[in-house]
């Protein structure tokens, strides 16, 4: 996965944001399928920013309908649940190395909502395949892959803030284009390529790199095609939710053999998650 042709600013690994060791450790730990609440709280205790935002989330109206405040990490984890803590924790951790303030059109809340919804939908779709194929690690892998799928956009907003701003504006002016088409037209690369290049430099597992690079490539037939296809299908569903559409591209599901009825059920759940995730974003990014 090293055959990437990138603009010079991305090709030089020394110019890429580095993943601090403590962040690498928290991402690895939160991806463990065998986590329990006590161990989860212990892991988060060393990450003040992540912990404070999770505690704020646990005390928000969506999760705390009592007058008793949530003040401990273990109670926070119990209140939010493993999946939300994992998703929010990994998402906040991988955002830490990036400075996106100079990219004027970058909408951090939209980015966050999209990331969380793709991870949620990918896991739900994988659950349908996991029961059939006995791959118990597949749901967690694609959940993490969903969180990371568009990390290349963060990197572009950091390294090329003005150019990325112009590409985002170009996308807004040309809604018939998807974001990668707009990025490629102006910057000659896209967030899939940049994200793959970045995560290779970070030493992220190959399955996750493949998801990041190929989730928008229906022709990919490599070792991790199923993982990439699940996240790709999830991105199409989430795109339909953002655009307020009731349909999504059928081609995204052709290789996955997930029934239309199951797709419809997951999409309906995704629509309900959309409002909730918007509210979570307001708490996390006030």
């Amino acid at each position: 996965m090293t055959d990437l042709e990138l603009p010079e600013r991305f090709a030089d690994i020394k110019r890429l944001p580095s993943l601090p060791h403590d962040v690498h450790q928290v991402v690895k730990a939160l991806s463990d399928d065998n986590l329990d609440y006590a161990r989860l709280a212990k892991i988060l205790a060393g990450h003040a920013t992540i912990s404070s935002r999770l505690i704020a989330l646990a005390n928000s109206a969506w999760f705390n309908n009592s007058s008793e405040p949530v003040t401990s990490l273990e109670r926070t984890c119990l209140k939010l649940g493993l999946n939300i803590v994992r998703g929010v924790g990994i998402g906040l951790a991988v955002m830490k190395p990036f400075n996106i303030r100079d990219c004027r059109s970058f909408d951090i809340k939209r980015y966050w909502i999209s990331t969380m919804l793709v991870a949620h939908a990918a896991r739900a779709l994988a659950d349908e395949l996991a029961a059939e194929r006995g791959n118990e690690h597949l749901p967690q892998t694609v959940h993490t892959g969903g969180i990371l799928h568009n990390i290349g956009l963060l990197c572009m907003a950091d390294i090329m803030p003005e150019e990325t701003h112009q590409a985002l504006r170009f996308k807004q002016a040309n809604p018939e284009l998807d974001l990668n088409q707009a990025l490629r037209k102006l910057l000659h690369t896209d967030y899939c390529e940049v994200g793959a290049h970045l995560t290779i430099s970070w030493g992220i597992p190959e399955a996750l790199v493949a998801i990041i690079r190929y989730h928008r490539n229906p022709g990919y037939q490599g070792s991790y095609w199923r993982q990439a296809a699940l996240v790709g299908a999830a991105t199409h569903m989430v795109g339909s939710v953002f655009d307020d559409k009731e349909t999504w591209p059928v081609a995204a599901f052709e290789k996955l053999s997930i029934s239309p009825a199951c797709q419809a059920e997951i999409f309906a759940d995704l629509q309900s998650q959309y409002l909730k995730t918007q509210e979570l974003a307001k708490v996390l990014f006030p």
Side-chain angles (χ1 to χ4, degrees):
M1 252 183 271
T2 57
D3 57 331
L4 291 168
E5 296 183 9
L6 297 169
E8 186 176 346
R9 273 180 280 186
F10 295 108
D12 183 359
I13 288 180
K14 292 179 181 178
R15 300 192 64 171
L16 297 175
S18 60
L19 185 66
H21 181 70
D22 63 329
V23 173
H24 195 288
Q25 292 298 103
V26 78
V27 171
K28 182 178 178 181
L30 291 176
S31 299
D32 184 355
D33 286 331
N34 298 314
L35 268 182
D36 57 32
Y37 287 109
R39 185 159 159 252
L40 184 56
K42 186 176 180 180
I43 291 166
L44 294 170
H47 302 271
T49 302
I50 297 173
S51 297
S52 62
R53 292 196 186 185
L54 286 167
I55 290 172
L57 207 54
N59 283 285
S60 67
W62 275 97
F63 292 99
N64 193 10
N65 52 12
S66 69
S67 57
E68 183 180 358
V70 178
T71 57
S72 74
L73 275 173
E74 191 156 356
R75 277 201 65 213
T76 293
C77 294
L78 286 165
K79 179 75 74 172
L80 298 177
L82 283 173
N83 284 341
I84 288 179
V85 172
R86 275 175 166 158
V88 173
I90 293 172
L92 291 175
V94 298
M95 288 172 62
K96 184 178 178 181
F98 301 99
N99 175 14
I100 57 172
R101 289 188 294 273
D102 293 335
C103 185
R104 290 165 288 153
S105 292
F106 191 90
D107 185 340
I108 188 62
K109 290 181 182 177
R110 182 184 175 92
Y111 174 88
W112 177 265
I113 293 165
S114 174
T115 295
M116 292 297 106
L117 290 179
V118 168
H120 177 84
R123 186 184 187 106
L125 291 167
D127 282 336
E128 296 301 314
L129 294 184
E132 178 183 339
R133 295 184 169 86
N135 185 351
E136 60 183 17
H137 299 297
L138 183 62
Q140 185 58 39
T141 297
V142 299
H143 183 260
T144 303
I147 294 169
L148 297 174
H149 82 280
N150 55 355
I151 195 171
L153 186 59
L154 282 176
C155 187
M156 298 176 85
D158 181 337
I159 293 180
M160 304 174 75
E162 182 58 31
E163 296 92 330
T164 304
H165 160 72
Q166 295 297 336
L168 292 169
R169 290 285 301 273
F170 183 72
K171 164 68 176 76
Q172 292 169 0
N174 297 273
E176 73 280 4
L177 299 178
D178 64 40
L179 179 55
N180 264 354
Q181 289 171 327
L183 290 168
R184 184 159 289 284
K185 188 171 182 64
L186 271 67
L187 305 182
H188 310 294
T189 188
D190 58 48
Y191 68 75
C192 296
E193 288 186 346
V194 172
H197 183 57
L198 174 71
T199 49
I200 288 170
S201 76
W202 283 358
I204 295 294
E206 189 175 356
L208 296 175
V209 176
I211 289 171
I212 293 164
R213 184 173 181 186
Y214 296 114
H215 69 274
R216 298 191 68 87
N217 181 358
Y220 170 59
Q221 298 180 352
S223 301
Y224 305 105
W225 73 265
R226 187 173 290 111
Q227 290 89 333
L230 285 164
V231 173
T235 63
H236 283 291
M237 279 190 163
V238 171
S240 292
V241 171
F242 271 103
D243 294 339
D244 198 24
K245 296 179 180 177
E246 292 294 328
T247 59
W248 50 93
V250 176
F253 291 87
E254 285 180 351
K255 296 195 296 185
L256 294 172
S257 300
I258 296 176
S259 71
C262 178
Q263 293 175 41
E265 182 180 343
I266 291 171
F267 186 74
D269 175 60
L270 198 56
Q271 288 175 307
S272 69
Q273 288 290 326
Y274 180 47
L275 177 60
K276 180 177 180 179
T277 309
Q278 285 179 306
E279 295 303 315
L280 301 189
K282 291 177 184 177
V283 175
L284 291 168
F285 307 101

